[in-house]
Amino acid sequence: KKWYAVIGDPIAQSMSPAMHEEWFSDAGIDASYIPVHVREQDLSKAIESLKRLGCSGWNVTIPHKTAIIDLLDEIDTSARMMNAVNMVKVLEDGRLYGMNTDGHGFVRSLEEKYGTVGKGKNVLLIGAGGAAKGIAFALHEAGYGPIAITNRTLEKAELLSSDIEGASAIPLRDAEANLSNFGLIVQTTSVGMNFAKEGIPLQLMNVSAGTIVADIIYNPLRTEFLEQAESKGGLPLNGVGMFVHQGALSFEQWTGVYPNTKKMIRTITDQLG
Ligand code: ATR
């Protein structure tokens, strides 16, 4: 029987095991998926154990996404570019192949809900960390843009924008004042997450009705950012879809099957709601 895992610290809160177990059952595949608590200092021992015990693949979460790269045999372009891996596939010859499905997961989630209406519109990306990087590249690859990147630390936005064709960097205050120029706005920072007390990275009073406004956070389901956007007639997208689709893309790599994401998004939304 094949088995899969997710490694991280903490890990008990992870929704990945229930999600993948349901998909295996739906697909009629006799496999299981378990959470494995791995502390930062135990990563290489844990990888050895997973290999020795015949694990077929695993997801990787905080704090191992970057550190694991040195322990893998090969990584794909997305992982290299983001300097982070969120899933590993054990190849037939036993080599470990790392990938990153976060950015493409975001684009799948966007298009599942709103089709391609965001295409041909100006895109504003808020944040310039790892998550922003993956999303910026995936959006660009999917034909979105031009992309403007804004960030508390403007230098980081400039650095990221120089890596993406047609992208530019703008200060937060300029972005805030000119929000009506954008047809797709994506919030990628952790600001607005439960327990964080920072509020929101920029105010949304100038957003136009009909603009798609995405926040990659899913806990809470409705961040203050999305609340403000909706009150102006913005079309909201929370982070549940991105989470589900990054998992679905992992599942597809392991099994060849793209699972039912819409049903899973409803289940998780009900759980968190
Ligand atoms: P991740 O991999 O989740 O993207 P990260 O690489 O640490 O995490 O990036 C965090 C992003 O959130 C950055 O864009 C960061 O802005 P800075 O580059 O200025 O640090 C942004 N961020 C974090 N806390 C913030 C806050 N209180 N206000 C505005 N932006 C914030």
Side-chain angles (χ1 to χ4, degrees):
K1 179 173 169 171
K2 288 196 170 183
W3 67 282
Y4 299 83
V6 56
I7 61 169
D9 179 22
I11 202 61
Q13 83 300 338
S14 173
M15 291 185 290
S16 292
M19 178 164 80
H20 286 274
E21 291 266 357
E22 186 171 322
W23 285 338
F24 281 127
S25 152
D26 286 353
I29 299 171
D30 185 24
S32 51
Y33 186 110
I34 57 165
V36 181
H37 183 201
V38 178
R39 291 198 178 81
E40 205 159 2
Q41 65 272 24
D42 297 329
L43 183 62
S44 60
K45 268 193 289 178
I47 300 304
E48 273 312 309
S49 303
L50 288 169
K51 272 172 78 170
R52 208 172 44 242
L53 296 170
C55 188
S56 295
W58 55 89
N59 285 116
V60 183
T61 186
I62 290 166
H64 307 305
K65 287 185 164 195
T66 299
I68 197 171
I69 292 177
D70 289 340
L71 305 170
L72 303 176
D73 297 298
E74 207 180 320
I75 59 174
D76 77 347
T77 341
S78 303
R80 188 164 319 117
M81 197 199 60
M82 291 174 70
N83 195 31
V85 158
N86 77 330
M87 67 147 297
V88 172
K89 183 176 170 177
V90 181
L91 302 177
E92 281 187 1
D93 58 7
R95 283 181 313 128
L96 303 181
Y97 186 57
M99 306 172 73
N100 199 308
T101 63
D102 287 330
H104 291 112
F106 172 78
V107 175
R108 295 264 184 144
S109 148
L110 171 68
E111 295 189 345
E112 183 173 72
K113 185 153 183 193
Y114 292 117
T116 52
V117 295
K119 273 196 185 166
K121 309 239 171 91
N122 292 318
V123 179
L124 177 68
L125 198 72
I126 305 167
K133 205 166 178 181
I135 290 172
F137 275 94
L139 281 171
H140 177 65
E141 215 172 279
Y144 288 82
I147 302 174
I149 303 168
T150 189
N151 191 44
R152 178 176 62 181
T153 312
L154 187 61
E155 291 74 25
K156 279 172 71 182
E158 284 166 348
L159 205 64
L160 176 53
S161 69
S162 68
D163 279 343
I164 297 164
E165 203 189 314
S168 56
I170 56 173
L172 270 175
R173 243 176 302 158
D174 293 359
E176 189 170 71
N178 296 299
L179 274 189
S180 61
N181 292 345
F182 299 99
L184 171 60
I185 299 172
V186 188
Q187 200 299 107
T188 74
T189 78
S190 52
V191 181
M193 217 154 82
N194 272 346
F195 318 114
K197 291 274 170 276
E198 298 107 333
I200 64 176
L202 56 75
Q203 299 293 320
L204 288 157
M205 53 264 214
N206 295 324
V207 80
S208 305
T211 297
I212 300 172
V213 182
D215 194 325
I216 67 166
I217 289 170
Y218 57 83
N219 193 6
L221 287 170
R222 262 177 109 236
T223 55
E224 190 186 338
F225 189 79
L226 288 186
E227 263 171 36
Q228 280 200 16
E230 274 190 282
S231 74
K232 296 284 169 188
L235 308 175
L237 178 71
N238 66 27
V240 175
M242 178 178 171
F243 168 71
V244 169
H245 281 275
Q246 64 73 33
L249 287 161
S250 305
F251 190 87
E252 185 185 36
Q253 283 297 325
W254 296 327
T255 65
V257 177
Y258 205 80
N260 187 331
T261 47
K262 282 189 174 157
K263 187 173 83 159
M264 186 57 63
I265 289 170
R266 281 196 300 273
T267 304
I268 292 181
T269 302
D270 288 347
Q271 261 172 35
L272 293 172

